[in-house]
Amino acid sequence: MSETPHGSAHATPGTFVIATAGHVDHGKSTLVSALTGMEPDRWAEEKKRGLTIDLGFAWTTLPSGRELAFVDVPGHEKFLANMLAGLGPAPTACFVIAADKGWQAQSSDHRDAINALGITQGLVVITRADLAPDSVETTHAQVSAQLRGTSLEHAPIVTVSATTGEGLPELISVLDEVTATADPPTTSGRVRLWIDRAFTIRGAGTVVTGTLTAGTLTTGDSVELRGETIDRTVGVRGLQSRNSTTTEVVPQARVAVNLRDVPADDLHRGDALLTSGAWPIVDAIDVRRTMGEALDTGIHELMAHIGTAAVPARLRPFDAKHARLTLDRPLPLQVSDRIVLRAPGSRNVFAGLLVLDVDPPELSRRGDSARRARELAERPVAGDVLAEVARRGAVERTVLTRFGLQVPDDEGLPADVEDVGGWLVHSPTLTAWVEATNSLVSRELAASPMAAGVPFKAVAETLRRASDSDRRPGGKTTSDATSAAHAGPTLPLPKGTDAATRRLLNQVISRAGLEAVDGMVRPPGHTAGLGAAESGIAEIERRLASDPFAAPEVDDLRELGLGARELAVAEKAGRILRLGDGIIVSLRTPAQAMRILAGLDQPFTTSQARQALGTTRRVVIPLLEHLDGRGWTRRLDTTHREVVR
């Protein structure tokens, strides 16, 4: 992997990645070369034409020890997509304007791209000062005016000549200041490495490169590879940064990742390496315009740029500032991501977008778009935890974190949200579930007094069906908890009861003052009643008390209204004992039989037992088998038994 230029072998909070930006032929590559001593252009055609076509890479170390990795982007309008691929993942921008040329068309496009991506860390460099020293002041005024109201409005401006070295010491000092005040990266976060190159190195195999802005990559890691034509888990065989092999890379850094068992031809710019299972992979998102054209101008087919990816997308506007964006293929996205839109074939930025929702509701009713626009207008940049919980009724905390929402700890949760066994639950919804569960169990047990309870799965399915019928598509993502509650509970149960959902449902059952025992939900201490069968069972008990071995016939049971269900409930309640072949006796019958059988000569035959008990063969055979099973009698052969002493 020695041909791969990157950030830092052991990137620390003192390591930074900076992308250049600016009109073609304004000296970006020359400036990078002067700062690093490296030629960022990689292709022979680029060097021959003196024109950057694709992304270039170089690095240097500042006097302070901070390490800088530059991503040099093409400035020509034909290569806007390549420029966005380089700028998209970069946390810092170096905007370049030539003193002898001043502000030009592509300068505006690159400024708009930086603004759309929300890059606030950066600086402006006025280059080629030696070619037009009298124009520096005018260019400076142009830059200040053109950047007013953008994310780089307050960026420092430095004047240099890359060929004579004039101003380079001051530029290096400003680079130190900019990086010193930059937000430190998160080394413990989840990885999302947007791939900008994929190639094969003999003896090493497939290598991908990208800018690591969060998380840590370690040799031996298993990571998720999501892309245009691939979706699989791959192993990290090796890592390089700044042409040095390392076992670990932390942000910020340019990194080369050697992957196991995946052909380079299967990979494309815009694919991503991800922490496994940590990212939602989505193709529909709700967004807010941050700059550019109004979203309801009638243009629907656009190209969406995020990270290094460029994906066709369809825009469904809700109003001028809010819309639903449906992507041609799924991407790993989160709330607060920035997206650049451009019209296909256009060389200009159409609009900048902020992602507000990566799991948006269905919109199918008249007026849904207008309602959704109002809801999104109220939504904060970091996401609305209350709105997300209220819309679903309950959602696992880890799911919202995966969406990119900033979820506070329990003490910081909104008033109408509480943590219930790892689920964030909307309090009005929890109350509705508790009431619905209580009502269901009371109603079912009143209708079926012989039931031991209501099956756990039946409770879950009933709540799910009620939730599905009450759910109003697209109508409940709102920061107003009460209006969301009016739509009814929306218990998010899957087609079954996985462990997480079972934990939530158990909490609902507990709060309803109920218990779940042996798969049945019931009030504590509940015992099944016999209802209308009570008189029949009492009559059987009376008869057996008089003659314990006179088991009732089938016709007797039918006349008393006792079927299999009634007899099963009576047995569970300890009122009767059922032997094989439908023989019903008292719980005392086996002990009564043993007292008589113990008085017989041992061993005894089945016939002798029948005569001693004064019963029939229909009763004596299952009764003796029951005694055998309890170990009270022992069968010696086909006709003889003995009492076990």
Side-chain angles (χ1 to χ4, degrees), residues 56-132:
F57 310 97
W59 60 87
T60 190
T61 302
L62 297 173
S64 65
R66 293 188 186 90
E67 296 173 337
L68 301 185
F70 286 94
V71 180
D72 189 35
V73 308
H76 198 283
E77 59 184 358
K78 292 182 179 179
F79 308 116
L80 179 64
N82 287 348
M83 181 275 287
L84 289 169
L87 196 60
T92 306
C94 177
F95 195 88
V96 177
I97 301 289
D100 60 322
K101 295 179 178 292
W103 193 274
Q104 293 185 298
Q106 223 59 35
S107 302
S108 296
D109 294 334
H110 287 217
R111 172 205 60 196
D112 292 346
I114 292 171
N115 196 32
L117 291 167
I119 298 175
T120 57
Q121 297 173 187
L123 69 158
V124 179
V125 181
I126 298 175
T127 58
R128 296 161 53 134
D130 57 310
L131 299 182

Side-chain angles (χ1 to χ4, degrees), residues 17 88-91 184-187 190 192-194 211-215 250-253:
V17 177
T186 303
T187 59
R190 51 188 175 169
R192 180 178 57 177
L193 182 76
W194 293 105
T211 298
L212 183 65
T213 55
V250 297
Q252 297 172 19

